[in-house]
Amino acid sequence: MEVGFFVSLQQTLFDIDDLHSFSDLSTFAQHIPVEWVESALHLSSAATIRRRRLPADQVLWLVLGMALFRNEPVSEVARRLNICAQGLASDRLMARSGVSQARQRLGAKPVEWLFRQTGAVWGQERYPGDDWQGLQVLAADGAVLRTPDNAALRAHFGSGNTGTDRQTPYPMMRVVALMNVRSHVLLDAQLSPYRRSEIRLADDFIDRIPDHSVTLFDKGFWSADLLLGVAAGGAQRHWLIPARKGLVSETLQTYNADDQLLQMRVSPQARKRHPGLPATWDVRAVSYSHKGKRKTVYTSLPAARYDTDAVARLYQERWEIEVGFRDIKSSLQHNAVTLRSKTVSLIYQEVWGLLLGYNVIRREASQAALAHGQAPARVRFKFAYQYIAAQLIVMAAAQPLSRTGARLSELRAGIGHLFLDDRPRPSRPRSVKMSKTRYPVNRQAAPLK
C-alpha cells in the first residue's frame, strides 16, 4: 500500500456497478487487492445476482463507513459516502429498513475475513527501527464492548456478575486482540460472548503469531498451555508476562540479583486439556523497580542473549495495546455507551467493521509516518482519524478522477503534521465509569469455557 487507501476507496465507491468492475481499478487493487474483496464476498450466505440499491460489494464498504462515522445514522453514512448502485439517485435518503436488510444479507463473515487478511499482511510489515533486538514486538490483551440491552442480546452475550445481587446494565461482548505494538496494527482478534475466557480466546490465534517475535501478555493470560504453545509453535517465538502471586517454583540458576531461572509444575488441569504438556517447565524471572515498587516478569527470552535491563524495559511497551483499545472506544466510537446494532449477527458485523476501520487508519498513518521519517506509533490516532474522515466527505463530493496522485500527497502531508510530541504520557489511574444496576443475578450461570 504505497498510496493512501481512503482516496482510492472513495474513487471506487463512485465507479462500481458490479463486482467485476473492481478488476479495472488498478489503484484500488494496490491497497485492498481485488482478490481479497472477492474472497470475502464469496463467504456471504446470501449471494445474489439481483440488482439491488445496495449490492453486497458496496455494503461491505458501508460497514467500514459505519466505523468511521459512529455518530451518523447508517442511512446517512451511505448517502454521505455516495454508496449506492450506479444509476440510482444518490442524494435520496435510503430507507432505514433497506440498509438493515442489505447488512443482513451480507452477514459478518465477509467483514471478518477482510479484517483478518489486513492483519495477516499489514500486521507483519516491518518499519525502520521497529524491531527489538531482531524480534518483532507484539502484545495480546482483551477488552469488552457493551451492546444495547434487549432479550436476544442479553441471552447471547451475557453480562458480568458481581459479589452483590447486581449485574452490569448492558450485555457485553469480549474482544481479545493481537497487536504489533510498533505500528499499532492488529494482527488478529477473537470475538465472543462475555463469559468466554480471554485465555481460551487467545488460544485461537497463537498459531498466527509470526516467527522471530516476542509477545507481551497481561497477567490475566497466565497459562502454561498457552505460553508453551506460543514458544513451541514456531522459530524464535518468545513471550513476556507479569509474575503471579502464590506460584510455587524452584530456582535452577541465578544470573544476577534481578534475574533467575525457575522451574514450575504444569497444573493437572492444563495437562488434562493438553496431555502432551510436560510435568514441569522452566521460566526466566526478571525483577525491577517501578515507581518505588518491586515488580517481576516471567519470560522465555534466554538470559545468554537478552540482558536483564532490556527485558524489564521491553515490558513497558505492553501499554501500547491499551492505547489501541482506547483509540477504538474513545475516537472511533466517540465514547458511545453501546454499539449501534440491535441483533446478534449485526453486532458481530459491526465490530469486525470497527476493527477493520481501525486497521485501515493505522496502516495509512504508518505509511504517512514512514514518508516523514517518523515512527508509526508517534502518529496521533484521533487527529489522523478525524482528518481522514473529513477528507472522505470532501473527496466523495469532488470526485477527483484526474487528481488522485495530488490528493494522496495532500492526505499524507496533512497526516504528517499530526505526530505526538516527546512529552511523557500523563499517568491516569483507572476508574469505574458505570455503576452496576439491580438486575437479578443468575447464581447458577454456566462456568467459563
Side-chain angles (χ1 to χ4, degrees):
M1 180 176 173
E2 296 304 321
V3 289
F5 165 81
F6 290 99
V7 176
S8 57
L9 168 59
Q10 289 304 305
Q11 190 62 61
T12 302
L13 294 177
F14 285 111
D15 295 342
I16 56 179
D17 179 35
D18 55 34
L19 185 60
H20 299 292
S21 63
F22 273 99
S23 59
D24 297 326
L25 299 166
S26 57
T27 27
F28 181 80
Q30 294 176 26
H31 314 302
I32 293 187
V34 58
E35 294 82 4
W36 294 10
V37 178
E38 290 176 340
S39 296
L41 292 178
H42 283 319
L43 297 175
S44 177
S45 60
T48 177
I49 60 174
R50 175 182 169 188
R51 180 179 176 83
R52 297 183 182 273
R53 184 173 182 82
L54 279 175
D57 48 354
Q58 297 191 42
V59 179
L60 188 63
W61 304 121
L62 172 62
V63 174
L64 178 59
M66 288 171 54
L68 302 180
F69 299 95
R70 172 61 179 83
N71 286 343
E72 298 287 349
V74 179
S75 55
E76 178 67 8
V77 174
R79 188 191 68 81
R80 284 198 175 196
L81 297 184
N82 210 4
I83 300 176
C84 63
Q86 186 173 339
L88 297 178
S90 61
D91 57 350
R92 208 168 15 159
L93 193 63
M94 298 181 189
R96 186 175 303 177
S97 60
V99 174
S100 179
Q101 291 169 9
R103 291 181 59 205
Q104 291 281 4
R105 289 195 300 270
L106 178 68
K109 289 184 179 180
V111 191
E112 175 186 355
W113 188 93
L114 196 54
F115 161 75
R116 294 192 189 283
Q117 189 69 6
T118 65
V121 176
W122 298 346
Q124 297 189 46
E125 290 177 331
R126 303 292 183 94
Y127 294 89
D130 71 347
D131 283 357
W132 180 82
Q133 300 194 28
L135 301 177
Q136 190 174 21
V137 185
L138 313 175
D141 202 0
V144 294
L145 298 172
R146 293 184 290 266
T147 77
D149 191 6
N150 62 46
L153 296 181
R154 188 170 285 277
H156 178 83
F157 290 108
S159 57
N161 296 344
T162 69
T164 67
D165 290 332
R166 293 180 174 187
Q167 61 183 178
T168 52
Y170 294 100
M172 296 190 295
M173 166 188 278
R174 192 177 295 282
V175 182
V176 174
L178 179 69
M179 173 187 280
N180 180 329
V181 302
R182 301 296 173 88
S183 68
H184 282 207
V185 171
L186 298 176
L187 278 76
D188 206 345
Q190 294 292 331
L191 310 181
S192 81
Y194 176 74
R195 293 196 62 79
R196 181 92 186 272
S197 75
E198 292 182 342
I199 293 176
R200 299 286 73 88
L201 288 174
D203 282 336
D204 294 335
F205 61 57
I206 62 172
D207 290 342
R208 301 183 184 95
I209 295 176
D211 293 342
H212 305 285
S213 64
V214 55
T215 304
L216 315 178
F217 289 96
D218 182 70
K219 62 183 178 181
F221 289 85
W222 176 262
S223 167
D225 49 329
L226 173 67
L227 299 176
L228 287 171
V230 171
Q236 294 293 311
R237 298 202 323 178
H238 298 287
W239 50 265
L240 195 59
I241 192 170
R244 289 185 62 180
K245 295 181 179 179
L247 293 177
V248 178
S249 62
E250 177 185 350
T251 302
L252 298 180
Q253 187 175 354
T254 299
Y255 304 116
N256 57 56
D258 297 324
D259 205 339
Q260 295 178 317
L261 183 65
L262 308 178
Q263 185 177 80
M264 296 183 177
R265 296 187 60 185
V266 178
S267 70
Q269 295 85 353
R271 297 188 69 193
K272 183 177 181 180
R273 284 194 301 268
H274 301 278
L277 292 177
T280 62
W281 60 314
D282 298 345
V283 300
R284 180 185 173 194
V286 174
S287 300
Y288 60 97
S289 295
H290 180 68
K291 296 183 179 179
K293 295 182 179 181
R294 190 72 169 166
K295 297 181 178 292
T296 300
V297 292
Y298 293 152
T299 184
S300 63
L301 293 165
R305 183 171 179 181
Y306 305 99
D307 68 73
T308 306
D309 292 339
V311 171
R313 289 194 302 271
L314 174 63
Y315 190 73
Q316 308 309 310
E317 294 193 44
R318 196 203 67 81
W319 186 254
E320 297 300 325
I321 193 170
E322 301 276 7
V323 173
F325 284 134
R326 180 203 65 189
D327 291 336
I328 291 173
K329 292 182 177 182
S330 177
S331 298
L332 286 180
Q333 286 292 95
H334 297 278
N335 290 315
V337 174
T338 69
L339 299 165
R340 67 164 90 199
S341 300
K342 303 295 193 299
T343 67
V344 172
S345 62
L346 294 188
I347 286 287
Y348 282 103
Q349 182 194 77
E350 179 182 346
V351 176
W352 287 123
L354 190 63
L355 299 178
L356 175 61
Y358 172 85
N359 262 5
V360 168
I361 293 172
R362 271 298 176 191
R363 177 54 157 70
E364 182 58 30
S366 296
Q367 293 295 297
L370 182 63
H372 288 268
Q374 299 280 351
R378 295 193 68 242
V379 176
R380 301 174 185 235
F381 179 89
K382 179 178 180 178
F383 299 132
Y385 151 65
Q386 292 174 339
Y387 178 82
I388 290 170
Q391 291 298 309
L392 279 178
I393 298 175
V394 173
M395 293 172 188
Q399 300 191 32
L401 297 176
S402 61
R403 298 190 65 247
T404 297
R407 287 284 186 177
L408 296 173
S409 299
E410 294 170 7
L411 186 66
R412 289 228 174 124
I415 296 175
H417 295 292
L418 305 176
F419 292 107
L420 293 166
D421 53 35
D422 294 323
R423 291 177 295 177
R425 289 174 179 157
S427 176
R428 297 186 179 93
R430 295 185 178 185
S431 60
V432 176
K433 298 182 179 179
M434 181 174 291
S435 62
K436 311 301 179 186
T437 59
R438 297 184 182 276
Y439 290 137
V441 175
N442 179 11
R443 295 297 177 187
Q444 304 299 320
L448 296 177
K449 297 180 180 180

